[in-house]
Every structure is written in C-alpha cells, then in structure tokens.
C-alpha cells in the first residue's frame, strides 16, 4: 500500500509536466485601427526566432507556441509595426495604425528612370544574398479551396443545387540545396470527401514559388522582373512609396515590353537601403496564361531571416472554365504559409534522392488533434461546413449503397464499410456456360481496401 501511495504523486508530477510541455495555441485577428476592417496577409513573427505565421484573407491567424513568455511582432506594408507579449493560449485582437511616409530623394544618373535604378540595385542585392545561400528547409501549410460558380449541361439539369465547395490541405517540410536540388515531405494531408487523397499533393513548387527568382514556371517559362534578362523584357515605373516598419518601400509597376512574350504584370515592393523584395502582386500576361484559366493572380510576401529575405506566404486566386459534356466555372483560392526556416545548416547530398515529393505513410491518418496542434491557417466557417457537408453526403451515399434491394440477390452488390469494400455476386452471376466447360459456377467474391497492404483479395468458385 505504501508503494502505491508513493507512486501517485509521481504520476501526478509526470502528468502535469507533460501537459505543461504541450504547445499552446494563440489565435486572433488583425484589423485596421481606423476602419476596423480585417487586414489580410499581415506577417507575424515570434521575436528572436524563425517561428511565425501570416493572417489569412479574413485577417485571422493561428500560432502554436511552446510554454513560456513570447513577444509577437506584427508588420504590414503601410502600417506601424506592433509588438505584443503572449504566454500561449491567448486570444488577441490587434489594431495596426497606418503610417504615411514622405517620398524619399532618389539619386539616379541623368538618363536613367528612377524605377530602373532601383531594380538594378535590387538585382545586385539579390545576387549577393544568393551567393551566400547554400541550403535551406522550411515548414509549410497549404490550403486549396475551389468553388463551383456555374455548372450547366444535360447531366446536371436535374440537380437543384449544383454549387459546392471543396478543400484540400497539406502540412509539408520542404528542402533546397545548391545548385537546384529540391525535395518535399508531406507529413499530413486532408481533403473534403470525394477527392482522392493521392490527388492531394498540392504543396508543389507552384505553391511555394519564389517570385524573386530569375524565372518561374506557369507551364511556360516566365522571365522574372528582378533579373538581368528582365531589364530587357519589362518596363518599370516608380508609382509611390510606402513603409514596412521603419523602412521606406518603393512600389514599382512592371509590364511587358512585348505582348508576345510570356511575362507578368503588376507591382513590386522593394525596400530602401537593403533593396530586398518584400512583396509582389502579379498576374501573367496573355502569352503566359495557362489555357484553361480565365484569370490568375499571385501575391507573395518576404521576411528577413538572418541576412536572407525569404518568402513567407503565397496567395493565389484563379478563375477556371472547363467545357466537356458539362460546362464548369470554378473559383480557386490557394494560400501557403511558409515558416520555420533553417538556413545554411547543411543538408546531406544523398537526402535528395529521385523522389521529389514523398508522402509519409501516416499522412492520411492524422486526426483532428494533430491539425489543431499543427495548423498554420485557421479554417473558416464555410470550410468547416464543406468538410461536414461532404462527410454527410458520403455517409448518406454509403448507407444507401449498403441497402439490400430486390435486385441484390439477382445481380449482386458491393457493400462498403469505411475504406473496405466487399463485393458479393448475385445468383445470375454465379452461373456460367460455354461449349468447352459446359455448366459451371462463376462469380467472384472480392474484398478491397486501398489503404491496406493487402489491397484486394478475390475468391472465385469452380
């Protein structure tokens, strides 16, 4: 009895220390101090760390912090930087005040446009940083949401509500090393019902694209505007100046010199003094636009990690038209938060094998507790409803599929339980005849489970 009494306090201490060591979730919203409107894509950093996140399109954020006291730094173009103390588990409503900044004096050569002079300095600064960058790794949370705007055709005329929303999400570790070795490991993924998990490899280079690169790929190679080649491909116009913290930031509008070349158009935001790219807002021109897209827009922000400015998010908006038997018009929103950079720590060369995108076996088994602990992008009420609606429809269809009807004994039936499928042949399927075999028993009893190592087993009498 004495031994039991001594063990109880020990168990209590172990339990308390385990709970205390768990990450704590801080949530909140960032708003404009004057209007009260939510601010999307505000960069949030945990001071003196590489940890952080970005607000979503609604100005909401979620951040998982180890126990203890932390200071969060909120920064946004055109606004004063705010710092808040948190201890984990807090709910914050942060208001950022706008900060107008006077247009600075820019010294350029007599015959050169001010915007071109800034771009030239940005190219040189990028080359200097790139020469020092040997490797890096990061963690990412990507969410892809697409909604059907319109669905027409004979096959859907009888559907009273053809609109629906689908969601795909992944948690990924990504790695890069010179000269251009690259690898992704998908640690977790989830998607609304009726989307196969194997289709959910949405964290690809397309979704963590670096718009400071010399070129990028939309299915066609596009010359980047901050490159030596870009100087001959684009026009540059200095539009105005804003601020990021205490630094002035130039807004430069870029557009193609030729309509026939696959290029981009939009705005670049370049910091004064460091000449680092801090934000882009770009669209491909007609020559660069993928054939099936009606419109495409990219927004990306960068933050400083040591002496390196790295992308911390990617926001993509697109409209898609498809016409094959039925006509579909889709709206697509994709958003990636890229954090926890580890730069120049050394990555073994043999780590980059032939598998560029690797999906961990447990990626599809992650439960709601995992996502609550690891998510970098909060789910909106509409997205949660889409998950629930998809699961409800799938469960209803599964229930109807398992109902035995008058035709089941004659023609057979497939029963479903989760990921398991059982096919039982009907009486008409059990009998067969041909001149060689004569009368014989046919039919096949089949068990299928795509997630099991034993994917399919069949038993055929005869």
């Amino acid at each position: 009895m004495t031994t039991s009494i001594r063990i109880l306090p020990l168990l209590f201490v172990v339990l308390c220390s385990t709970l205390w060591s768990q990450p704590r979730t801080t949530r909140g919203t960032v708003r404009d101090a004057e209007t009260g409107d939510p601010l999307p894509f505000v960069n949030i950093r945990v001071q003196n760390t590489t940890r952080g996140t970005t607000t979503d399109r609604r100005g909401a954020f979620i951040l998982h912090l180890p126990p203890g006291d932390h200071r969060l730094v909120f920064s946004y173009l055109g606004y004063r930087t705010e710092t808040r103390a948190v201890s984990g588990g807090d709910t914050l409503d942060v208001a950022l005040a706008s900060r107008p900044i006077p247009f600075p004096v820019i010294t350029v050569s007599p015959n050169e446009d001010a915007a071109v002079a800034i771009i030239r300095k940005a190219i040189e600064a990028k080359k200097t940083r790139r020469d020092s960058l040997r490797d890096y790794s990061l963690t990412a949370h990507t969410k892809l949401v697409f909604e059907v705007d319109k669905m027409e055709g004979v096959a859907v005329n009888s559907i009273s509500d053809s609109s629906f929303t689908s969601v795909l999400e992944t948690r990924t570790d990504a790695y890069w090393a010179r000269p251009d070795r690259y690898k992704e490991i998908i640690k977790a993924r989830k998607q609304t019902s009726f989307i196969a998990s194997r289709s959910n490899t949405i964290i690809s280079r397309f979704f963590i694209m670096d718009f400071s690169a010399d070129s990028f790929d939309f299915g066609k190679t596009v010359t980047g505007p901050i490159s030596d080649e870009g100087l001959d491909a684009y026009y540059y116009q200095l539009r105005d100046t804003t601020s990021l913290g205490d630094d002035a930031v130039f807004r430069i509008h870029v557009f193609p010199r030729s309509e026939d070349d696959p290029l981009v158009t939009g705005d670049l935001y370049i910091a004064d003094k460091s000449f680092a790219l801090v934000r882009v807002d770009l669209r491909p021109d007609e020559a660069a636009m993928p054939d099936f897209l009606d419109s495409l827009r990219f927004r990306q922000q960068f933050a400083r990690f040591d002496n390196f400015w790295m992308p911390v998010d990617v926001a993509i908006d697109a409209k898609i038209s498809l016409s094959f038997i039925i006509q579909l018009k889709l709206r697509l929103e994709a958003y990636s938060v890229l954090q926890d950079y580890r730069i120049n720590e050394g990555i073994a060369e043999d780590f980059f094998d032939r598998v560029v995108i690797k999906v961990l076996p447990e990626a599809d088994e992650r439960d709601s507790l995992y996502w609550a602990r690891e998510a970098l992008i909060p789910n909106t009420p509409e997205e949660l409803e889409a998950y629930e609606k998809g699961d409800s429809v799938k469960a209803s269809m599964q229930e109807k599929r398992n109902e035995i009807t008058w035709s089941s004994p004659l023609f057979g039936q497939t029963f479903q339980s989760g990921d398991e499928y059982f096919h039982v042949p009907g009486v008409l399927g059990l009998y067969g005849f041909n001149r060689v075999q004569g009368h014989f028993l046919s039919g096949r009893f089949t068990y299928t489970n795509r997630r099991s190592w034993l994917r399919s087993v069949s038993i055929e009498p005869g």
Side-chain angles (χ1 to χ4, degrees):
M1 179 65 69
T2 303
T3 303
S4 301
I5 293 173
R6 289 176 179 174
I7 290 176
L8 287 175
L10 179 61
L11 292 175
F12 178 77
V13 170
V14 171
L15 178 61
C16 290
S17 62
T18 301
L19 292 174
W20 179 252
S21 65
Q22 294 295 315
R24 299 183 179 187
T25 300
T26 296
R27 301 174 182 270
T29 305
V30 184
R31 303 178 184 276
D32 182 294
E34 183 177 351
T35 66
D37 294 335
L39 292 176
F41 315 128
V42 174
N43 185 246
I44 304 167
R45 310 231 56 75
V46 182
Q47 199 171 61
N48 301 322
T49 75
T50 61
R51 188 183 295 268
T53 189
T54 309
T55 61
D56 66 7
R57 298 170 190 272
R58 304 170 301 138
F61 71 91
I62 182 171
L63 189 59
H64 310 285
L65 301 171
D69 296 328
H70 308 276
R71 296 184 68 81
L72 303 185
V73 181
F74 298 80
S75 58
Y76 194 57
L77 275 175
Y79 288 77
R80 298 182 185 276
T81 298
E82 290 285 338
T83 303
R84 292 290 185 89
V86 297
S87 57
D90 301 275
T91 299
L92 301 178
D93 194 353
V94 180
L96 298 185
S98 60
R99 179 178 185 175
I101 189 167
F103 208 98
V105 176
I106 304 168
T107 303
V108 297
S109 59
N111 297 318
E112 187 171 52
D113 184 270
V116 175
I118 294 169
I119 292 295
R120 289 188 185 279
K121 291 181 179 180
I123 293 171
E124 292 305 313
K126 184 183 76 171
K127 289 178 180 178
T128 300
R129 288 189 292 268
R130 185 173 57 190
D131 290 343
S132 302
L133 186 63
R134 299 186 302 273
D135 59 68
Y136 67 82
S137 60
L138 61 91
T139 62
H141 181 180
T142 291
K143 181 185 295 182
L144 174 64
V145 180
F146 60 89
E147 300 177 345
V148 173
D149 267 352
K150 189 176 183 182
M151 183 162 56
E152 296 178 340
V154 175
V156 297
N157 284 342
S158 60
I159 300 177
S160 59
D161 182 11
S162 60
S163 64
F164 63 88
T165 300
S166 293
V167 186
L168 303 90
E169 298 183 63
T170 57
R171 285 284 280 115
T172 302
D173 288 342
Y175 304 82
W176 176 90
R178 285 184 178 179
D180 195 24
R181 298 193 295 272
Y182 185 79
K183 185 170 184 175
E184 296 172 11
I185 298 178
I186 297 179
K187 300 163 61 178
R189 60 183 178 183
K190 64 176 179 176
Q191 53 283 322
T192 48
S193 298
F194 307 111
I195 297 177
S197 59
R198 62 180 176 276
S199 301
N200 189 358
T201 53
I202 60 176
I203 273 284
S204 63
R205 291 195 185 198
F206 187 76
F207 285 96
I208 58 176
M209 191 178 298
D210 182 352
F211 283 94
S212 69
D214 291 343
S215 64
F216 23 85
D217 189 3
F218 295 159
K220 304 172 185 177
T221 300
V222 176
T223 299
I226 303 181
S227 66
D228 292 328
E229 294 78 9
L231 290 170
D232 297 324
Y234 292 95
Y235 291 111
Y236 303 90
Q237 296 177 347
L238 179 59
R239 291 290 177 88
D240 57 35
T241 302
T242 182
S243 63
L244 182 63
D246 296 328
D247 298 324
V249 175
F250 305 109
R251 181 169 73 94
I252 297 176
H253 185 67
V254 299
F255 55 99
R257 291 176 179 267
S258 170
E259 295 180 356
D260 299 327
D261 296 331
L263 298 168
V264 293
T265 183
D267 293 329
L268 308 176
Y269 295 82
I270 298 175
D272 189 17
K273 298 180 182 178
S274 69
F275 295 97
L277 181 65
V278 299
R279 184 176 180 179
V280 302
D281 188 345
L282 299 171
R283 294 177 173 86
D285 65 4
E286 188 173 346
M289 183 75 73
D291 294 336
F292 60 92
L293 291 182
D294 296 332
S295 65
L296 181 61
R297 180 185 181 185
F298 295 92
R299 283 168 288 188
Q300 183 173 61
Q301 297 182 108
F302 297 76
R304 185 173 179 173
F305 298 88
D306 296 328
N307 293 319
F308 300 95
W309 286 81
M310 308 297 289
V312 292
D313 57 41
V314 182
I316 300 174
D317 298 274
K319 292 185 177 180
I320 305 170
S321 293
L322 299 174
S323 181
F324 181 75
I325 302 178
I326 62 174
Q327 295 180 348
L328 284 175
K329 287 188 177 295
L330 307 174
R331 289 183 300 166
L332 180 149
E333 293 182 353
Y335 185 44
S336 291
V337 174
L338 318 174
Q339 294 295 335
D340 293 332
Y341 275 92
R342 297 168 293 281
I343 298 173
N344 289 345
E345 292 188 354
I347 303 175
E349 187 172 346
D350 58 2
F351 176 78
F352 298 95
D353 50 24
R354 293 185 178 181
V355 180
V356 177
I357 299 179
K358 179 181 179 180
V359 182
L360 295 183
E362 61 270 25
D364 295 322
E365 307 300 329
R366 303 294 195 183
D367 58 16
S368 58
L369 291 177
Y370 173 90
W371 285 98
R373 187 177 66 248
E374 298 292 337
L376 293 173
I377 309 173
N379 284 123
T380 66
E382 293 78 14
E383 291 163 0
L384 293 174
E385 183 181 356
Y387 275 117
E388 293 173 1
K389 184 177 180 180
D391 291 341
S392 176
V393 172
K394 185 176 181 180
S396 177
M397 293 180 65
Q398 181 176 319
E399 183 178 344
K400 289 183 178 179
R401 174 180 290 174
N402 293 336
E403 290 179 358
I404 298 176
T405 65
W406 64 269
S407 63
S408 300
L410 295 176
F411 299 103
Q413 185 169 345
T414 299
F415 299 91
Q416 181 184 354
S417 176
D419 295 317
E420 298 179 315
Y421 295 82
F422 305 87
H423 177 73
V424 180
V427 173
L428 296 181
L430 289 173
Y431 171 76
F433 172 82
N434 61 48
R435 292 183 180 181
V436 177
Q437 295 175 280
H439 301 277
F440 62 91
L441 289 175
S442 181
R444 179 175 295 179
F445 296 82
T446 306
Y447 164 80
T448 304
N449 186 341
R450 293 178 180 176
R451 293 193 179 185
S452 170
W453 64 272
L454 189 62
R455 293 193 173 188
S456 181
V457 177
S458 297
I459 300 175
E460 186 170 353

